[in-house]
mmCIF file of all heavy atoms in Angstrom:
data_model
loop_
_atom_site.group_PDB
_atom_site.id
_atom_site.type_symbol
_atom_site.label_atom_id
_atom_site.label_comp_id
_atom_site.label_asym_id
_atom_site.label_seq_id
_atom_site.Cartn_x
_atom_site.Cartn_y
_atom_site.Cartn_z
ATOM 1 N N ILE A 1235 10.954 -7.246 3.491
ATOM 2 C CA ILE A 1235 10.495 -5.870 3.263
ATOM 3 C C ILE A 1235 9.084 -5.851 2.739
ATOM 4 O O ILE A 1235 8.235 -5.105 3.217
ATOM 5 C CB ILE A 1235 11.463 -5.147 2.292
ATOM 6 C CG1 ILE A 1235 12.799 -4.862 3.018
ATOM 7 C CG2 ILE A 1235 10.862 -3.851 1.755
ATOM 8 C CD1 ILE A 1235 13.938 -4.510 2.071
ATOM 9 N N LEU A 1236 8.783 -6.710 1.775
ATOM 10 C CA LEU A 1236 7.432 -6.744 1.232
ATOM 11 C C LEU A 1236 6.432 -7.307 2.240
ATOM 12 O O LEU A 1236 5.272 -6.882 2.270
ATOM 13 C CB LEU A 1236 7.406 -7.564 -0.057
ATOM 14 C CG LEU A 1236 8.236 -7.023 -1.213
ATOM 15 C CD1 LEU A 1236 7.891 -7.766 -2.500
ATOM 16 C CD2 LEU A 1236 7.977 -5.524 -1.432
ATOM 17 N N ARG A 1237 6.866 -8.215 3.091
ATOM 18 C CA ARG A 1237 5.974 -8.747 4.115
ATOM 19 C C ARG A 1237 5.622 -7.642 5.105
ATOM 20 O O ARG A 1237 4.451 -7.487 5.482
ATOM 21 C CB ARG A 1237 6.690 -9.889 4.855
ATOM 22 C CG ARG A 1237 5.772 -10.691 5.782
ATOM 23 C CD ARG A 1237 6.502 -11.840 6.397
ATOM 24 N NE ARG A 1237 7.078 -12.741 5.379
ATOM 25 C CZ ARG A 1237 8.370 -12.916 5.165
ATOM 26 N NH1 ARG A 1237 9.257 -12.268 5.888
ATOM 27 N NH2 ARG A 1237 8.787 -13.761 4.225
ATOM 28 N N GLN A 1238 6.604 -6.851 5.508
ATOM 29 C CA GLN A 1238 6.311 -5.735 6.393
ATOM 30 C C GLN A 1238 5.447 -4.688 5.708
ATOM 31 O O GLN A 1238 4.537 -4.098 6.306
ATOM 32 C CB GLN A 1238 7.627 -5.097 6.875
ATOM 33 C CG GLN A 1238 8.418 -5.978 7.819
ATOM 34 C CD GLN A 1238 9.728 -5.337 8.249
ATOM 35 O OE1 GLN A 1238 9.946 -4.139 8.066
ATOM 36 N NE2 GLN A 1238 10.617 -6.126 8.812
ATOM 37 N N GLY A 1239 5.751 -4.430 4.438
ATOM 38 C CA GLY A 1239 4.947 -3.468 3.665
ATOM 39 C C GLY A 1239 3.500 -3.854 3.591
ATOM 40 O O GLY A 1239 2.587 -3.017 3.657
ATOM 41 N N GLN A 1240 3.226 -5.154 3.396
ATOM 42 C CA GLN A 1240 1.849 -5.643 3.340
ATOM 43 C C GLN A 1240 1.125 -5.392 4.643
ATOM 44 O O GLN A 1240 -0.041 -4.973 4.655
ATOM 45 C CB GLN A 1240 1.855 -7.147 3.021
ATOM 46 C CG GLN A 1240 0.461 -7.739 2.874
ATOM 47 C CD GLN A 1240 -0.310 -7.149 1.705
ATOM 48 O OE1 GLN A 1240 0.200 -7.128 0.585
ATOM 49 N NE2 GLN A 1240 -1.508 -6.694 1.942
ATOM 50 N N MET A 1241 1.805 -5.606 5.768
ATOM 51 C CA MET A 1241 1.196 -5.342 7.073
ATOM 52 C C MET A 1241 0.811 -3.874 7.229
ATOM 53 O O MET A 1241 -0.240 -3.527 7.753
ATOM 54 C CB MET A 1241 2.147 -5.760 8.195
ATOM 55 C CG MET A 1241 2.384 -7.263 8.335
ATOM 56 S SD MET A 1241 3.661 -7.617 9.573
ATOM 57 C CE MET A 1241 3.008 -6.789 11.019
ATOM 58 N N ILE A 1242 1.714 -3.018 6.759
ATOM 59 C CA ILE A 1242 1.480 -1.583 6.872
ATOM 60 C C ILE A 1242 0.325 -1.161 5.968
ATOM 61 O O ILE A 1242 -0.550 -0.388 6.378
ATOM 62 C CB ILE A 1242 2.760 -0.797 6.533
ATOM 63 C CG1 ILE A 1242 3.827 -1.073 7.598
ATOM 64 C CG2 ILE A 1242 2.489 0.696 6.441
ATOM 65 C CD1 ILE A 1242 5.206 -0.576 7.213
ATOM 66 N N ALA A 1243 0.299 -1.678 4.750
ATOM 67 C CA ALA A 1243 -0.784 -1.343 3.803
ATOM 68 C C ALA A 1243 -2.146 -1.697 4.379
ATOM 69 O O ALA A 1243 -3.144 -1.009 4.139
ATOM 70 C CB ALA A 1243 -0.548 -2.026 2.484
ATOM 71 N N GLN A 1244 -2.220 -2.798 5.124
ATOM 72 C CA GLN A 1244 -3.465 -3.235 5.704
ATOM 73 C C GLN A 1244 -3.954 -2.293 6.805
ATOM 74 O O GLN A 1244 -5.155 -2.310 7.168
ATOM 75 C CB GLN A 1244 -3.341 -4.653 6.279
ATOM 76 C CG GLN A 1244 -3.141 -5.704 5.208
ATOM 77 C CD GLN A 1244 -2.783 -7.073 5.781
ATOM 78 O OE1 GLN A 1244 -2.519 -7.235 6.992
ATOM 79 N NE2 GLN A 1244 -2.758 -8.080 4.926
ATOM 80 N N GLN A 1245 -3.073 -1.464 7.316
ATOM 81 C CA GLN A 1245 -3.436 -0.522 8.380
ATOM 82 C C GLN A 1245 -3.671 0.886 7.866
ATOM 83 O O GLN A 1245 -3.842 1.809 8.657
ATOM 84 C CB GLN A 1245 -2.312 -0.490 9.447
ATOM 85 C CG GLN A 1245 -2.104 -1.813 10.160
ATOM 86 C CD GLN A 1245 -3.379 -2.290 10.861
ATOM 87 O OE1 GLN A 1245 -4.048 -1.522 11.514
ATOM 88 N NE2 GLN A 1245 -3.683 -3.569 10.718
ATOM 89 N N LYS A 1246 -3.722 1.057 6.552
ATOM 90 C CA LYS A 1246 -3.971 2.359 5.964
ATOM 91 C C LYS A 1246 -5.326 2.906 6.436
ATOM 92 O O LYS A 1246 -6.326 2.213 6.369
ATOM 93 C CB LYS A 1246 -3.961 2.284 4.438
ATOM 94 C CG LYS A 1246 -4.172 3.622 3.741
ATOM 95 C CD LYS A 1246 -4.123 3.473 2.230
ATOM 96 C CE LYS A 1246 -4.340 4.816 1.557
ATOM 97 N NZ LYS A 1246 -4.318 4.697 0.054
ATOM 98 N N GLY A 1247 -5.307 4.130 6.946
ATOM 99 C CA GLY A 1247 -6.542 4.739 7.441
ATOM 100 C C GLY A 1247 -6.923 4.308 8.823
ATOM 101 O O GLY A 1247 -7.915 4.814 9.363
ATOM 102 N N ILE A 1248 -6.178 3.371 9.406
ATOM 103 C CA ILE A 1248 -6.464 2.892 10.755
ATOM 104 C C ILE A 1248 -5.401 3.441 11.709
ATOM 105 O O ILE A 1248 -5.677 4.227 12.601
ATOM 106 C CB ILE A 1248 -6.525 1.364 10.820
ATOM 107 C CG1 ILE A 1248 -7.594 0.845 9.846
ATOM 108 C CG2 ILE A 1248 -6.805 0.888 12.237
ATOM 109 C CD1 ILE A 1248 -7.602 -0.664 9.678
ATOM 110 N N CYS A 1249 -4.161 2.995 11.470
ATOM 111 C CA CYS A 1249 -3.061 3.528 12.307
ATOM 112 C C CYS A 1249 -1.806 3.732 11.501
ATOM 113 O O CYS A 1249 -0.686 3.744 12.049
ATOM 114 C CB CYS A 1249 -2.803 2.602 13.506
ATOM 115 S SG CYS A 1249 -2.283 0.929 13.051
ATOM 116 N N ALA A 1250 -1.960 3.865 10.171
ATOM 117 C CA ALA A 1250 -0.813 4.141 9.301
ATOM 118 C C ALA A 1250 -1.232 5.100 8.200
ATOM 119 O O ALA A 1250 -2.215 4.876 7.496
ATOM 120 C CB ALA A 1250 -0.287 2.833 8.690
ATOM 121 N N ASP A 1251 -0.473 6.187 8.071
ATOM 122 C CA ASP A 1251 -0.721 7.170 7.035
ATOM 123 C C ASP A 1251 0.338 7.121 5.933
ATOM 124 O O ASP A 1251 0.047 7.455 4.779
ATOM 125 C CB ASP A 1251 -0.743 8.593 7.619
ATOM 126 C CG ASP A 1251 -1.870 8.758 8.619
ATOM 127 O OD1 ASP A 1251 -3.036 8.548 8.245
ATOM 128 O OD2 ASP A 1251 -1.596 9.084 9.787
ATOM 129 N N LEU A 1252 1.544 6.754 6.292
ATOM 130 C CA LEU A 1252 2.610 6.581 5.309
ATOM 131 C C LEU A 1252 3.637 5.583 5.821
ATOM 132 O O LEU A 1252 3.615 5.236 7.000
ATOM 133 C CB LEU A 1252 3.285 7.917 4.938
ATOM 134 C CG LEU A 1252 4.059 8.693 5.991
ATOM 135 C CD1 LEU A 1252 5.001 9.693 5.327
ATOM 136 C CD2 LEU A 1252 3.123 9.483 6.915
ATOM 137 N N CYS A 1253 4.491 5.158 4.919
ATOM 138 C CA CYS A 1253 5.486 4.131 5.225
ATOM 139 C C CYS A 1253 6.900 4.683 5.015
ATOM 140 O O CYS A 1253 7.135 5.431 4.051
ATOM 141 C CB CYS A 1253 5.241 2.924 4.301
ATOM 142 S SG CYS A 1253 6.521 1.645 4.331
ATOM 143 N N GLU A 1254 7.793 4.344 5.905
ATOM 144 C CA GLU A 1254 9.206 4.710 5.718
ATOM 145 C C GLU A 1254 10.016 3.455 5.459
ATOM 146 O O GLU A 1254 9.963 2.509 6.252
ATOM 147 C CB GLU A 1254 9.772 5.381 6.982
ATOM 148 C CG GLU A 1254 11.242 5.744 6.817
ATOM 149 C CD GLU A 1254 11.898 6.258 8.107
ATOM 150 O OE1 GLU A 1254 11.571 5.730 9.183
ATOM 151 O OE2 GLU A 1254 12.717 7.180 8.016
ATOM 152 N N TRP A 1255 10.731 3.432 4.348
ATOM 153 C CA TRP A 1255 11.631 2.333 4.054
ATOM 154 C C TRP A 1255 13.042 2.726 4.504
ATOM 155 O O TRP A 1255 13.639 3.630 3.917
ATOM 156 C CB TRP A 1255 11.627 1.978 2.571
ATOM 157 C CG TRP A 1255 12.544 0.813 2.227
ATOM 158 C CD1 TRP A 1255 12.981 -0.141 3.090
ATOM 159 C CD2 TRP A 1255 13.090 0.505 0.948
ATOM 160 N NE1 TRP A 1255 13.784 -1.056 2.409
ATOM 161 C CE2 TRP A 1255 13.863 -0.662 1.097
ATOM 162 C CE3 TRP A 1255 13.003 1.123 -0.307
ATOM 163 C CZ2 TRP A 1255 14.568 -1.219 0.038
ATOM 164 C CZ3 TRP A 1255 13.686 0.552 -1.369
ATOM 165 C CH2 TRP A 1255 14.456 -0.616 -1.196
ATOM 166 N N ARG A 1256 13.550 2.031 5.524
ATOM 167 C CA ARG A 1256 14.884 2.295 6.040
ATOM 168 C C ARG A 1256 15.884 1.443 5.260
ATOM 169 O O ARG A 1256 16.159 0.297 5.624
ATOM 170 C CB ARG A 1256 14.931 1.986 7.542
ATOM 171 C CG ARG A 1256 14.323 3.067 8.403
ATOM 172 C CD ARG A 1256 15.235 4.296 8.486
ATOM 173 N NE ARG A 1256 16.522 3.913 9.027
ATOM 174 C CZ ARG A 1256 16.825 3.966 10.324
ATOM 175 N NH1 ARG A 1256 15.925 4.388 11.206
ATOM 176 N NH2 ARG A 1256 18.011 3.603 10.764
ATOM 177 N N ILE A 1257 16.416 1.997 4.197
ATOM 178 C CA ILE A 1257 17.257 1.207 3.295
ATOM 179 C C ILE A 1257 18.612 0.901 3.917
ATOM 180 O O ILE A 1257 19.327 0.008 3.409
ATOM 181 C CB ILE A 1257 17.425 1.851 1.921
ATOM 182 C CG1 ILE A 1257 18.220 3.184 2.033
ATOM 183 C CG2 ILE A 1257 16.086 2.090 1.257
ATOM 184 C CD1 ILE A 1257 18.614 3.754 0.666
ATOM 185 N N ASP A 1258 18.991 1.559 4.995
ATOM 186 C CA ASP A 1258 20.273 1.212 5.652
ATOM 187 C C ASP A 1258 20.197 -0.179 6.262
ATOM 188 O O ASP A 1258 21.244 -0.767 6.582
ATOM 189 C CB ASP A 1258 20.672 2.254 6.697
ATOM 190 C CG ASP A 1258 19.561 2.570 7.690
ATOM 191 O OD1 ASP A 1258 18.496 3.070 7.233
ATOM 192 O OD2 ASP A 1258 19.757 2.352 8.903
#
């Protein structure tokens, strides 16, 4: 989860505005 989150954070302002954590 944190590995995926890091990838998303790196795309902030490029192709990611927010993150959804699918806890299921």
Side-chain angles (χ1 to χ4, degrees):
I1235 289 164
L1236 296 191
R1237 191 177 303 114
Q1238 291 178 14
Q1240 182 64 52
M1241 291 174 57
I1242 294 169
Q1244 291 170 353
Q1245 296 302 315
K1246 182 180 180 181
I1248 302 172
C1249 61
D1251 297 302
L1252 64 161
C1253 171
E1254 179 187 39
W1255 181 22
R1256 282 287 301 269
I1257 66 171
D1258 51 298

